[in-house]
Amino acid sequence: MGIKIVDTVFRDGPQSLIATRMTTDEILSCASILDKAGYHALEVWGGATFDSCISFLNEDPWERLRAIRKACPNTKLQMLFRGQNILGYRHYSDDIVEKFVQKSLENGIDIIRVFDALNDIRNLKSAVTATKKYHGHCQIALSYTTSPVHTVEYYVKLAQEVEKMGADSLCIKDMAGVLLPDDAYKLIKQLKANTKLPIELHSHCTGGICEMTYQKAIEAGVDIIDTALSPFANGTSQPATEAFNYALKNTKYDPKLNQDCLNQAAEILTKIKDKYLANGILNPKALSSNPNILKYQVPGGMLSNLMNQLAKQGAMDKYEEVLKEVPRVRQELGYPPLVTPLSQMVGTQAVMNIITNERYKMVPKEIKDYLHGLYGKAPAPIDQNILKKIIGDDKVITHRPADDLKPEFAQLKEKYKDLVKCDEDVLSIALFEQKAIKFLTEKYHPTPKDEVEEFNLYVG
Ligand code: CO
């Protein structure tokens, strides 16, 4: 059977290249064409798309999902779900997780890809249970990273655990694009030999090696690969869908996508890409490969965040020093994979260690929470001297962090009953609080134009 393809052109592609600014209209301009291409699934939704909709695009993310569903009756729709963090940055109570899963499936999602930054599978449990309960396909993604503890055996053991937990498929999520071709071959071979789960590979072209890695993974028996239609492929995004459709043609791996559909959609999206190049949202730098991510083993997004943080402090001369500090911090913190929110946390700590000239003199609240066990279990033991220096003899929790959270949904629904019109609105508020309140207030109670003028006149 041929390789199955998940196209990320509506989610990870725009997230990697244009800060998730693709609008619903732009998506709908070619969604119905791609619906006929023969994909395994289209990836359409995730934390950044949701956030960008309400914070920048003034669009309701739930309406976007329903519109894509309507335009794509033949193709499965997939979303990315951060375990107990759902689409946000903190742990939510189990009732919010369940409700969010239920509403995502009701509004059009078929496949929920659930991951936890630390690969602490206790943080996946309630999302998995809810996905099964509401008859969705539950894919568990393991965050891929390199460290002395992140061996092939480590991933095989985790894969067997998530299989037992009820996952329908497994994804290796290489958000940094650091998985080397030969390592991919060994990893996929062992996963295929030791589980019955279909295996998907998600990586990024950032380091310039992704096509080679995918090819070796295909030879090792991977079932599904994530690619992006060419206008939003390569650079910090996934490799181009069309490239794999041509490269594997007439082999036993032939994905058999409809090339005419791909061409038609690519033509439309190329015009959209050109607009983002012209207005500067698409930085041409994001389109070239950057071998530094292989040298420092950090995701491309994190490199640009570090640059921004240092530029704001007028400390760009410290860039190399900070990049050397990142692996040190990561080791001391028990080798967390550098994926949201840990990538931001480790990056900020590394910047603070260098800027203040004293390591761990300043520590963000999130790192303190992490050391208290509030994000789950670190992959490797945490450096005890660092732990003592930062949190002293404080209690570190060893149970699942969400066990301490009380149900939140009913209370939120009551609190915002004058603002919300449906459970989806309550969920938007649960996850994005002030941003969602502002968005919904504007959506349901837009300030009339002359009132604004009157107000301006008043204060003027
Ligand atoms: Co990605």
Side-chain angles (χ1 to χ4, degrees):
M1 208 169 61
I3 289 288
K4 293 176 179 159
I5 305 263
V6 172
D7 204 304
T8 64
V9 71
F10 298 144
R11 204 284 296 176
D12 208 357
Q15 182 173 330
S16 300
L17 294 173
I18 56 165
T20 326
R21 294 300 196 272
M22 190 183 277
T23 66
T24 300
D25 283 347
E26 288 167 348
I27 290 172
L28 294 177
S29 70
C30 62
S32 60
I33 302 169
L34 289 180
D35 183 45
K36 298 182 193 81
Y39 291 121
H40 174 63
L42 281 164
E43 191 193 40
V44 298
W45 230 43
T49 45
F50 203 101
D51 192 355
S52 177
C53 275
I54 59 169
S55 306
F56 303 109
L57 302 173
N58 197 28
E59 287 185 14
D60 192 314
W62 298 97
E63 283 171 13
R64 168 183 292 196
L65 176 55
R66 288 192 291 270
I68 300 175
R69 174 78 287 166
K70 210 171 149 209
C72 299
N74 306 303
T75 309
K76 291 193 183 95
L77 302 182
Q78 181 170 313
M79 76 175 289
L80 184 60
F81 197 104
R82 294 184 197 130
Q84 207 71 28
N85 297 162
I86 312 181
L87 307 185
Y89 304 99
R90 67 168 177 94
H91 280 242
Y92 297 94
S93 58
D94 290 329
D95 68 322
I96 301 275
V97 173
E98 177 174 343
K99 194 65 145 181
F100 204 95
V101 166
Q102 182 194 354
K103 287 291 163 189
S104 302
L105 294 170
E106 270 178 30
N107 281 278
I109 293 291
D110 300 288
I111 302 171
I112 302 191
R113 173 181 288 175
V114 191
F115 78 100
D116 177 62
L118 297 172
N119 292 325
D120 182 340
I121 63 169
R122 298 170 308 170
N123 293 335
L124 307 172
K125 187 104 185 62
S126 60
V128 174
T129 309
T131 308
K132 303 306 289 178
K133 181 173 170 186
Y134 296 102
H135 311 294
H137 175 114
C138 182
Q139 177 175 83
I140 290 183
L142 301 177
S143 310
Y144 181 80
T145 189
T146 52
S147 88
V149 293
H150 292 90
T151 58
V152 170
E153 295 71 39
Y154 165 93
Y155 284 107
V156 167
K157 187 170 163 276
L158 272 178
Q160 289 170 330
E161 284 175 34
V162 303
E163 185 172 27
K164 263 190 232 132
M165 216 171 160
D168 297 302
S169 61
L170 177 80
C171 174
I172 295 297
K173 180 178 162 59
D174 175 25
M175 53 280 164
V178 296
L179 176 57
L180 300 172
D182 198 45
D183 292 342
Y185 186 86
K186 289 176 189 147
L187 177 60
I188 302 292
K189 266 271 179 226
Q190 287 305 312
L191 289 172
K192 288 300 289 182
N194 290 290
T195 74
K196 290 191 186 65
L197 295 171
I199 313 279
E200 181 159 352
L201 181 58
H202 176 92
S203 185
H204 287 255
C205 299
T206 325
I209 57 170
C210 192
E211 284 91 341
M212 289 180 269
T213 300
Y214 276 12
Q215 178 63 31
K216 292 301 279 184
I218 289 167
E219 288 166 14
V222 82
D223 299 278
I224 314 162
I225 52 170
D226 286 7
T227 61
L229 199 70
S230 57
F232 289 93
N234 298 312
T236 49
S237 176
Q238 275 76 49
T241 306
E242 298 95 315
F244 279 88
N245 203 36
Y246 280 115
L248 300 172
K249 207 175 174 58
N250 299 326
T251 71
K252 63 176 173 175
Y253 307 117
D254 194 340
K256 294 199 171 116
L257 297 180
N258 183 322
Q259 190 62 47
D260 289 337
C261 293
L262 303 186
N263 292 346
Q264 269 183 52
E267 207 174 299
I268 297 168
L269 286 172
T270 298
K271 291 196 186 98
I272 291 166
K273 174 197 186 169
D274 289 344
K275 184 190 91 180
Y276 287 109
L277 262 174
N279 69 15
I281 290 178
L282 174 52
N283 184 337
K285 267 191 195 158
L287 294 169
S288 7
S289 55
N290 179 0
N292 272 338
I293 64 124
L294 299 172
K295 183 176 170 194
Y296 298 111
Q297 302 282 305
V298 303
M302 196 173 154
L303 282 179
S304 45
N305 275 343
L306 290 175
M307 266 192 235
N308 286 342
Q309 286 191 37
L310 289 170
K312 266 189 210 147
Q313 314 252 6
M316 265 315 282
D317 56 317
K318 300 273 200 297
Y319 186 55
E320 283 287 319
E321 233 180 301
V322 168
L323 283 175
K324 289 199 186 89
E325 178 68 8
V326 169
R328 217 176 143 194
V329 170
R330 214 181 133 228
Q331 181 186 358
E332 287 158 347
L333 298 183
Y335 293 111
L338 297 176
V339 61
T340 303
L342 266 305
S343 46
Q344 291 85 341
M345 288 156 60
V346 170
T348 304
Q349 186 64 60
V351 169
M352 285 177 171
N353 284 357
I354 297 298
I355 299 266
T356 59
N357 251 325
E358 186 190 328
R359 309 190 70 238
Y360 300 104
K361 182 181 175 188
M362 272 170 74
V363 178
K365 180 185 177 291
E366 289 79 7
I367 292 279
K368 288 181 189 157
D369 287 349
Y370 171 79
L371 294 172
H372 283 103
L374 300 182
Y375 285 82
K377 193 174 182 301
I382 289 167
D383 187 309
Q384 288 302 302
N385 294 328
I386 304 288
L387 186 81
K388 284 269 159 339
K389 174 167 177 163
I390 300 171
I391 65 164
D393 291 324
D394 287 6
K395 192 171 169 282
V396 175
I397 68 158
T398 53
H399 54 265
R400 189 185 69 121
D403 288 343
D404 294 332
L405 302 174
K406 289 189 186 68
E408 301 171 74
F409 188 81
Q411 206 187 340
L412 275 173
K413 192 171 174 170
E414 175 60 26
K415 185 173 173 191
Y416 293 101
K417 62 176 190 292
D418 295 332
L419 176 60
V420 301
K421 291 210 194 306
C422 54
D423 285 357
E424 285 82 348
D425 290 344
V426 182
L427 290 168
S428 300
I429 293 177
L431 267 59
F432 290 94
E433 298 160 20
Q434 290 313 314
K435 286 178 183 174
I437 292 166
K438 184 169 172 273
F439 169 78
L440 291 169
T441 307
E442 194 51 38
K443 178 179 176 184
Y444 295 135
H445 311 284
T447 328
K449 204 171 166 289
D450 45 312
E451 222 171 89
V452 176
E453 276 162 9
E454 223 170 85
F455 178 74
N456 285 343
L457 200 71
Y458 217 62
V459 293

